[in-house]
Amino acid sequence: MSEQSTEHTTEQAAGRTTGQVTGPATGRTTGRTATADDGSAAHDSRRQVLYWRLLARLFDHEEQATLESASLAVVEDIGLPPALLDPATSVDSIVQRHPELAGEFDGLMVPEPEEDGARDHAAEVRRAALVSKVLLNVFASGSGTVTAAQLSRWQSDAGWLERALGCKPGDLRGGRGTGAGAAGPGVSPTGSGGRGTTPDLSRLIPVIGPELGSIEADLVKRMHLREVLADPQLASRLTPSMSLIEQLLRDKNNLSGVALANAKALIRRFVDEVAEVLRTQVEKATVGALDRSVPPKRVFRNLDLDRTIWKNLTNWSPEEERLYVDRLYYRHTARKTTPQRLIVVVDQSGSMVDSMVNCTILASIFAGLPKVDVHLIAYDTQALDLTPWVHDPFETLLRTNLGGGTDGTVAMALTQPKVAEPRNTVVVWISDFYEWRTEQLFESMSALHRSGVKFIPVGSVTSSGRGSVNPWFRERFKDLGTPVISGHIRKLVHELKTFLA
């Protein structure tokens, strides 16, 4: 935008702010009092000034003085703090100084129903100022070296953006937690708007989530992570996230002493937080079908009172108003003792880090269930059997090496001997399936499926669901009757619980 056109636009907005109507071309006042329609036009001009400033800040590093002064006048006139226009001030700081704004940021960008087509133009201006603050703090991430404090502030601001979209902090970035209904008011678990038709959040959220993760990953790369980890005070400011964990796992072999200890502490914190969320999704799983060949144990806690009454109704005495019981019935509680075997095969190439973290933690949770025998294999061009550490996802992740090529045949060579009873075995294969020996690997997978093994190919299991899967494999898995799972990890949890129940 040119300086001349900027001044012209803001002069018109300034004239309307004071209650006078400006001419469309001259910017001069007409000398008459604004009508109701003129008031709406004034609010629309204010809103446009705020959004023009937002666009200028995002796409032009040089500050537009006219836009800044006009935006300041708008913000002060509607009773909002001028700190909203300061890019160096976090949303947290504003909310701490003005607690009444916290409720306005929550669900700020979730669509609301319009009553009879009426619009609250004044509210739209206020909303524009708050939306601009959140978007500018998140998407204008700058350039150059990033400090631990700056990363922490960005993560906090990104959390406020997620809250503005009706989600919980961390949901869109594929981080810590997403239980059922975590999307919050107005947004369904799939991300669709529940209180209006526009904007279409079902399209917005799947796109914005990966972009937030990409910005965060860039900030982590621009930070001198080793120096930060070596300073306990700076390291304490870091908030564990998927992007940070990926960088730590890549760099762990180059760390030592205090830096390595701080890195391990961050990984442990992240693992524990994700595990807590996944555990709630798994804890209701019952493993093993009832074994009716085993007589029920005749103790009071197993007494089937309803069945006992029903079976003895013929012994009811109307005269005495009593039910005589000839036989007691008990519930079967014994379950089949054949253990179910769960084999998790993870592609540890860099593109699969989020799925690898989630599935490694998920494997450890299922390993804690009775009658489930869990095995874990990680591979790139070589395969590593991580089964001895499957109960501890932290130790498992420390033994992985991100990056490199992928050759699934080496992992298959470790997987096949573990299949003792195909009908009681499920193989979860997590990869983007860009393999060196595609046909040979797929034939081995098909053979497992035909033998009776429950084979579950997984492309990506994150909150955002972002991930690319080799279309050659995707089509063949679909024809095989085992379509690739991609999306939220709840899908994989559901599949596993269905098989193990």
Side-chain angles (χ1 to χ4, degrees), residues 4 192 206 307 338 488:
Q4 184 178 2
S192 57
R307 189 171 178 227
T338 303
H488 201 285

Side-chain angles (χ1 to χ4, degrees), residues 363-426:
S364 71
I365 295 172
F366 274 100
L369 297 178
K371 305 296 186 297
V372 180
D373 180 24
V374 180
H375 295 251
L376 180 62
I377 298 170
Y379 76 96
D380 44 29
T381 55
Q382 296 181 330
L384 180 64
D385 191 344
L386 297 170
T387 303
W389 301 279
V390 72
H391 289 274
D392 189 342
F394 171 71
E395 290 295 333
T396 300
L397 289 173
L398 290 182
R399 284 170 168 77
T400 59
N401 292 302
L402 299 182
T406 50
D407 184 1
T409 59
V410 296
M412 183 61 74
L414 286 180
T415 302
Q416 289 169 330
K418 293 178 179 290
V419 180
E421 298 182 33
R423 297 291 176 185
N424 291 319
T425 302
V426 56

